[in-house]
Amino acid sequence: MGDILNLGGRVALVTGAGQGVGRQIALQLGAAEGSGGVVVNDYVLERAEAVAEEVRAAGGKALALQCDVSDHGAVKAMVEQAAADLGAIGVLVNNAGNAGATPSPELGKPFWETGPEVWNSFVGVNFYGVINCTAAVIPGMLARQAPGRIITIISDASRWGDAGLEIYAGAKAGAAGFMRSVARSLGRHQITANSIAIALTATPAVRRTLEGDPERLKRTLEKYIVRRPGQPEDVANMALFLASDASPWITGQVYPVNGGFSFAL
């Protein structure tokens, strides 16, 4: 019996893959059995190139492409370049998130004291970015007439709710709803669409914040049944499963990878 986590020759595009969770997903998909290669996207080209080099050093094919996913035209150009260099995208991982390439300095204020020019820091990347990238890859997926996978990384903030993160949580919830509708539209073409909801994950930024405040880390982990922060590998393993030939009959779902932080539906 072959490797059930085989990617079937599909080329993957991982957005926001220059560091953290996205980097680990790109490394996993680039090294997976049957990988057709991975496009490493980031709005900082040097970060994308460094991760692409890691994939190549591990024996995989990789292409680094700079793009701000909130820019519709730039996303279309990126997908066209990827198709020309590696082939049509067969796996899309919408990982780019947080406040995007140019966050507003007023993000820390209550949302009702700001306005759309601030809210768009979150909505642009976490919602429109997902729409932009998904719309750009679908024509190529349909033309391939082969199984395709679309995966969006959301947050438990969209399921549980977090004070102070109202716009971010709303954008992530919108992305999950968008994925469910995409799943209904594309299922007959063997293209699945799912979301992964993550909680506290030890990305470089999170590690810097929590390691400098052990008491805060202790208080935070009291909310988790598995008493540790998530690791990028935890998320990447689920992404590999959903991208692979192991999951052809799974679509329209949200998978929490959260250490038991929330059991919310």
Side-chain angles (χ1 to χ4, degrees), residues 119-130:
W119 306 338
N120 284 339
S121 293
F122 283 134
V123 175
V125 63
N126 294 286
F127 188 54
Y128 280 111
V130 172

Side-chain angles (χ1 to χ4, degrees), residues 1-8 10 33 240-241 243-248:
M1 183 176 179
D3 187 348
I4 148 181
L5 297 178
N6 196 298
L7 294 188
R10 291 182 285 276
E33 187 75 22
L240 174 59
F241 168 69
S244 75
D245 287 341
S247 60

Side-chain angles (χ1 to χ4, degrees), residues 6-31:
N6 196 298
L7 294 188
R10 291 182 285 276
V11 174
L13 164 61
V14 186
T15 67
Q19 59 184 347
V21 168
R23 168 186 170 272
Q24 191 62 43
I25 293 173
L27 293 176
Q28 290 271 56
L29 298 185

Side-chain angles (χ1 to χ4, degrees), residues 7-110:
L7 294 188
R10 291 182 285 276
V11 174
L13 164 61
V14 186
T15 67
Q19 59 184 347
V21 168
R23 168 186 170 272
Q24 191 62 43
I25 293 173
L27 293 176
Q28 290 271 56
L29 298 185
E33 187 75 22
S35 173
V38 61
V39 180
V40 182
N41 158 260
D42 200 275
Y43 62 80
V44 178
L45 182 58
E46 292 77 13
R47 292 198 306 223
E49 288 176 334
V51 175
E53 187 52 42
E54 287 187 84
V55 173
R56 295 186 200 107
K61 293 190 293 184
L63 172 67
L65 291 176
Q66 187 276 338
C67 172
D68 177 351
V69 297
S70 67
D71 183 331
H72 180 257
V75 168
K76 288 188 67 176
M78 173 180 67
V79 170
E80 290 169 2
Q81 184 65 56
D85 288 8
L86 288 180
I89 301 300
V91 176
L92 168 65
V93 182
N94 290 305
N95 169 77
N98 295 319
T102 55
S104 167
E106 296 189 298
L107 278 179
K109 293 183 178 180

Side-chain angles (χ1 to χ4, degrees), residues 2 12 14 37 55 61 89 99 102 111 114 123 136 138 177 197 211 226 253 261:
V14 186
V55 173
K61 293 190 293 184
I89 301 300
T102 55
F111 78 92
T114 61
V123 175
I138 285 174
E211 288 174 359
V226 181
Q253 306 302 312
F261 171 76

Side-chain angles (χ1 to χ4, degrees), residues 35 53 80 91 114 131 133 137 152 171 233 248 265:
S35 173
E53 187 52 42
E80 290 169 2
V91 176
T114 61
I131 296 173
C133 293
V137 303
T152 294
E233 290 86 346
L265 296 177

